[in-house]
Short mmCIF file of all heavy atoms in Angstrom, two decimals:
data_model
loop_
_atom_site.label_atom_id
_atom_site.label_comp_id
_atom_site.label_asym_id
_atom_site.label_seq_id
_atom_site.Cartn_x
_atom_site.Cartn_y
_atom_site.Cartn_z
N LYS A 294 -7.40 -17.64 13.79
CA LYS A 294 -8.05 -17.88 12.49
C LYS A 294 -7.54 -16.87 11.48
O LYS A 294 -8.17 -15.81 11.30
CB LYS A 294 -9.57 -17.73 12.62
CG LYS A 294 -10.23 -18.80 13.46
CD LYS A 294 -11.73 -18.56 13.46
CE LYS A 294 -12.38 -19.37 14.56
NZ LYS A 294 -13.69 -18.84 14.93
N PRO A 295 -6.43 -17.18 10.82
CA PRO A 295 -5.95 -16.25 9.78
C PRO A 295 -7.05 -16.05 8.75
O PRO A 295 -7.74 -17.01 8.37
CB PRO A 295 -4.75 -16.99 9.17
CG PRO A 295 -4.31 -17.94 10.23
CD PRO A 295 -5.56 -18.36 10.94
N GLN A 296 -7.25 -14.82 8.31
CA GLN A 296 -8.31 -14.56 7.34
C GLN A 296 -8.14 -13.20 6.67
O GLN A 296 -7.34 -12.37 7.11
CB GLN A 296 -9.68 -14.65 7.99
CG GLN A 296 -9.87 -13.76 9.20
CD GLN A 296 -11.05 -14.22 10.05
OE1 GLN A 296 -12.20 -14.07 9.64
NE2 GLN A 296 -10.79 -14.77 11.24
N ASN A 297 -8.91 -13.02 5.60
CA ASN A 297 -9.00 -11.72 4.94
C ASN A 297 -10.31 -11.07 5.36
O ASN A 297 -11.37 -11.71 5.30
CB ASN A 297 -8.98 -11.89 3.42
CG ASN A 297 -7.62 -12.35 2.92
OD1 ASN A 297 -6.61 -11.76 3.28
ND2 ASN A 297 -7.60 -13.41 2.13
N VAL A 298 -10.23 -9.83 5.80
CA VAL A 298 -11.44 -9.15 6.26
C VAL A 298 -11.51 -7.73 5.71
O VAL A 298 -10.48 -7.06 5.53
CB VAL A 298 -11.53 -9.07 7.81
CG1 VAL A 298 -12.09 -10.34 8.39
CG2 VAL A 298 -10.20 -8.72 8.44
N GLU A 299 -12.72 -7.30 5.43
CA GLU A 299 -12.97 -5.90 5.05
C GLU A 299 -13.23 -5.14 6.34
O GLU A 299 -14.17 -5.49 7.09
CB GLU A 299 -14.19 -5.83 4.11
CG GLU A 299 -14.50 -4.45 3.56
CD GLU A 299 -13.66 -4.08 2.33
OE1 GLU A 299 -13.02 -4.98 1.74
OE2 GLU A 299 -13.64 -2.89 1.99
N VAL A 300 -12.40 -4.14 6.64
CA VAL A 300 -12.54 -3.45 7.92
C VAL A 300 -12.82 -1.96 7.70
O VAL A 300 -12.24 -1.35 6.80
CB VAL A 300 -11.29 -3.60 8.82
CG1 VAL A 300 -11.02 -5.05 9.13
CG2 VAL A 300 -10.07 -2.97 8.20
N PRO A 301 -13.71 -1.37 8.49
CA PRO A 301 -13.89 0.08 8.41
C PRO A 301 -12.56 0.78 8.74
O PRO A 301 -11.84 0.35 9.66
CB PRO A 301 -14.93 0.37 9.50
CG PRO A 301 -15.63 -0.92 9.75
CD PRO A 301 -14.61 -1.99 9.50
N VAL A 302 -12.23 1.82 7.98
CA VAL A 302 -11.02 2.60 8.27
C VAL A 302 -11.12 3.09 9.72
O VAL A 302 -12.16 3.58 10.15
CB VAL A 302 -10.90 3.78 7.29
CG1 VAL A 302 -9.80 4.75 7.74
CG2 VAL A 302 -10.62 3.27 5.89
N GLY A 303 -10.04 2.95 10.47
CA GLY A 303 -10.02 3.40 11.86
C GLY A 303 -10.24 2.27 12.86
O GLY A 303 -10.16 2.50 14.08
N THR A 304 -10.52 1.06 12.37
CA THR A 304 -10.67 -0.08 13.29
C THR A 304 -9.31 -0.40 13.89
O THR A 304 -8.31 -0.47 13.18
CB THR A 304 -11.21 -1.32 12.53
OG1 THR A 304 -12.40 -0.96 11.84
CG2 THR A 304 -11.48 -2.48 13.47
N THR A 305 -9.27 -0.60 15.20
CA THR A 305 -7.97 -0.87 15.82
C THR A 305 -7.58 -2.35 15.63
O THR A 305 -8.43 -3.22 15.41
CB THR A 305 -8.00 -0.58 17.33
OG1 THR A 305 -8.99 -1.42 17.93
CG2 THR A 305 -8.30 0.87 17.61
N VAL A 306 -6.28 -2.59 15.75
CA VAL A 306 -5.77 -3.96 15.68
C VAL A 306 -6.46 -4.82 16.75
O VAL A 306 -6.84 -5.97 16.50
CB VAL A 306 -4.24 -3.97 15.89
CG1 VAL A 306 -3.71 -5.39 16.05
CG2 VAL A 306 -3.54 -3.27 14.73
N ARG A 307 -6.68 -4.23 17.93
CA ARG A 307 -7.34 -4.97 19.01
C ARG A 307 -8.72 -5.46 18.58
O ARG A 307 -9.08 -6.63 18.77
CB ARG A 307 -7.46 -4.05 20.23
CG ARG A 307 -8.14 -4.69 21.44
CD ARG A 307 -8.40 -3.65 22.53
NE ARG A 307 -9.20 -2.55 22.03
CZ ARG A 307 -8.92 -1.25 22.21
NH1 ARG A 307 -7.87 -0.90 22.90
NH2 ARG A 307 -9.69 -0.31 21.70
N ASP A 308 -9.51 -4.57 17.96
CA ASP A 308 -10.86 -4.96 17.55
C ASP A 308 -10.84 -5.95 16.39
O ASP A 308 -11.75 -6.78 16.27
CB ASP A 308 -11.69 -3.71 17.20
CG ASP A 308 -12.07 -2.93 18.46
OD1 ASP A 308 -12.18 -3.56 19.53
OD2 ASP A 308 -12.22 -1.70 18.39
#
Side-chain angles (χ1 to χ4, degrees):
K294 292 182 194 159
Q296 55 198 290
N297 290 310
V298 277
E299 184 82 14
V300 300
V302 169
T304 306
T305 60
V306 170
R307 180 188 57 228
D308 287 332

